[in-house]
Amino acid sequence: MADTARQWLFRLEAAGLITLGLAPIRSLLSSLGHPEQSLTAITIAGTNGKGSVSAMVERGLRAARCRTGRYTSPHLLDVTERVVVNGAPVSDDAFDHAASLVRAAAAAQPTPPTFFEATTAIALVAFRQAHVGVAVLEVGLGGRLDATNAVDAPLVAITNIGLDHQDYLGSTIEAIAAEKAGVIKPGALAVLGRTSQTAVDVMSGIAQRVRASVTYAPDGVVAQATIEVRETELTLRTPLRDYGPLRLSLPGRHQVDNAVTAVRTLEAAQALGIAPVDVAAVRAALADVRWPGRLDWRMWRGRHVLVDGAHNPDGARALAAFLSETVRTPVPIVIGIMRDKAIAEVLRALAPSASVFVCTASAGPRAATPQHLADEAARVAPAVPRLIAATPLDALVEGARHGDPVVVAGSLFLAGEVLAVLA
């Protein structure tokens, strides 16, 4: 019996191939009749925060009465989460139909696509089928050679720049910033989120070379925030508008910078004629946004569980800062990290917030073993007790024995598996 298009897609995922380059995706999109040309794209790149900014920008565009698409990665529970139309994942039928078209087109290509190339094409085909007007595309890895960069976006946002994926992007902030800035197309408008001056200089220089305009999101902005456990009260004024008091539904001080980047991007979309963004749309973008797996509070067996996909040092520091500011006492941390990540640095950043590390592993060959995590924790944070749990469920049970709330961190893959348990 012939397999389905989704089975074909999951085989690509299992193969785990990562290739950087635009020729394969451009050829694939050409054979599909260039679905990317049926919409206006806004591309979101960066090291951390690009998913949150994507979610806020899409919500604001939808509030501005645009028919929207949003493409993000990875998914937490189901692959259809990657492809969202007007705020909801596409139906299984719509996803599978798009996947079948991509599979047929891929059969005529000289080499099979990677999983990410295939899902990018599926998203664009699904957006065309759904008559999407504006699509927010989150970059998967880097920018310059990422499959999403086959789409010419007149507006891009780049969040903070940190060290991650050094094997592919380079080992310095300068090198990584240059790769991220590769999404800036000639004549486009680029909104840069708060980041180091080094990264700003690199990205601004690249934008200047391609005659693109640059807005540094924090410039001229006054933002005062009161951080609560589950949301943030924010008073915001930009050079364009005084928004007054706002509610930001994504908790954490780092989300204030993401909100500023999203608001400046929405203002840029208005300036470019992409969408009629008004004050009400910006309020909805911040107050109504949902982004699972990022400082995501859940209840489980009478315990509070905070799930966060922090998977690199900057993300771990943001989580630790949130815990220090709101919870204010060490808590049990269920930790699972991919073996190709900066494991020691993530553990070191989280150690001041941990009463115990419960070391576990998500499914898949990339996950570091619980024993390896425990050994690394013993080396970099010897004062924090360590436990080993074979599965995320076992880890939750063990963590719940040691306090409330239980924090889950280290990987979006782990976050997805835990959210499945909590559902």
Side-chain angles (χ1 to χ4, degrees), residues 310-331:
H311 60 277
N312 56 37
D314 284 347
R317 282 189 283 268
L319 171 58
F322 173 75
L323 293 171
S324 174
E325 189 167 10
T326 59
V327 179
R328 301 189 183 94
T329 186
V331 295

Side-chain angles (χ1 to χ4, degrees), residues 71-400:
Y71 173 59
T72 57
S73 62
H75 60 274
L76 297 177
L77 300 176
D78 189 272
V79 69
T80 59
E81 296 168 23
R82 296 174 179 244
V83 186
V84 171
V85 172
N86 262 10
V90 295
S91 67
D92 285 334
D93 286 346
F95 185 93
D96 291 341
H97 178 59
S100 67
L101 295 177
V102 171
R103 182 189 189 185
Q109 301 298 310
T111 58
T114 66
F115 175 73
F116 189 76
E117 288 168 342
T119 55
T120 301
I122 288 168
L124 294 168
V125 169
F127 292 157
R128 179 175 61 186
Q129 293 171 341
H131 305 291
V132 161
V134 185
V136 179
L137 307 178
E138 181 195 5
V139 170
L141 195 160
R144 181 175 65 93
L145 299 176
D146 187 80
T148 57
N149 205 29
V151 184
D152 290 332
L155 174 59
V156 304
I158 305 176
T159 65
N160 72 317
I161 303 298
L163 295 176
D164 200 10
H165 299 296
Q166 290 99 311
D167 290 348
Y168 296 97
L169 305 180
S171 59
T172 66
I173 292 295
E174 291 89 341
I176 294 172
E179 288 297 322
K180 305 285 186 183
V183 300
I184 304 174
K185 298 299 175 64
L189 195 160
V191 177
L192 308 181
R194 186 183 300 277
T195 191
S196 67
Q197 189 61 50
T198 297
V200 171
D201 290 344
V202 169
M203 293 187 290
S204 297
I206 289 172
Q208 184 176 23
R209 287 198 291 274
V210 298
R211 300 182 183 275
S213 302
V214 171
T215 295
Y216 185 51
D219 278 353
V221 170
V222 177
Q224 297 177 319
T226 301
I227 309 299
E228 304 291 346
V229 172
R230 295 179 183 272
E231 65 180 27
T232 294
E233 295 177 4
L234 175 65
T235 301
L236 179 65
R237 185 174 74 245
T238 73
L240 180 65
R241 295 189 184 109
D242 186 346
Y243 292 96
L246 301 166
R247 185 176 71 86
L248 176 56
S249 65
L250 300 181
R253 190 165 295 278
H254 60 289
Q255 292 292 4
V256 175
D257 282 337
N258 290 335
V260 169
T261 302
V263 170
R264 300 302 302 271
T265 302
L266 287 166
E267 291 176 346
Q270 179 190 21
L272 293 174
I274 295 172
V277 177
D278 56 14
V279 173
V282 168
R283 288 185 180 278
L286 273 55
D288 297 341
V289 66
R290 300 291 180 266
W291 197 226
R294 287 78 171 179
L295 292 181
D296 187 351
W297 286 100
R298 303 291 176 110
M299 289 297 297
W300 180 73
R301 297 183 181 178
R303 296 281 185 171
H304 297 88
V305 179
L306 178 63
V307 182
D308 191 71
H311 60 277
N312 56 37
D314 284 347
R317 282 189 283 268
L319 171 58
F322 173 75
L323 293 171
S324 174
E325 189 167 10
T326 59
V327 179
R328 301 189 183 94
T329 186
V331 295
I333 297 181
V334 171
I335 190 79
I337 310 174
M338 298 296 103
R339 54 183 168 78
D340 55 347
K341 296 295 183 178
I343 293 173
E345 288 83 352
V346 170
L347 291 168
R348 188 178 290 115
L350 292 176
S353 301
S355 62
V356 60
F357 280 126
V358 184
C359 303
T360 190
S362 57
R366 284 182 57 207
T369 67
Q371 186 63 58
H372 178 64
L373 294 180
D375 291 344
E376 282 294 284
R379 185 175 66 85
V380 303
V384 180
R386 299 156 303 281
L387 299 169
I388 288 177
T391 69
L393 175 57
D394 293 338
L396 278 175
V397 171
E398 194 62 47

Side-chain angles (χ1 to χ4, degrees), residues 15-78:
L17 295 178
I18 297 176
T19 60
L20 295 178
L22 299 182
I25 184 65
R26 282 175 172 159
S27 177
L28 183 58
L29 293 177
S30 176
S31 67
L32 289 163
H34 289 291
E36 77 280 7
Q37 295 178 3
S38 68
L39 50 80
T40 299
I42 299 175
T43 298
I44 314 293
T47 301
N48 290 302
K50 60 183 183 288
S52 298
V53 171
S54 297
M56 284 186 263
V57 169
E58 186 278 332
R59 182 64 188 92
L61 293 170
R62 189 158 28 99
R65 299 171 298 283
C66 294
R67 185 163 178 80
T68 61
R70 189 184 75 213
Y71 173 59
T72 57
S73 62
H75 60 274
L76 297 177
L77 300 176
D78 189 272

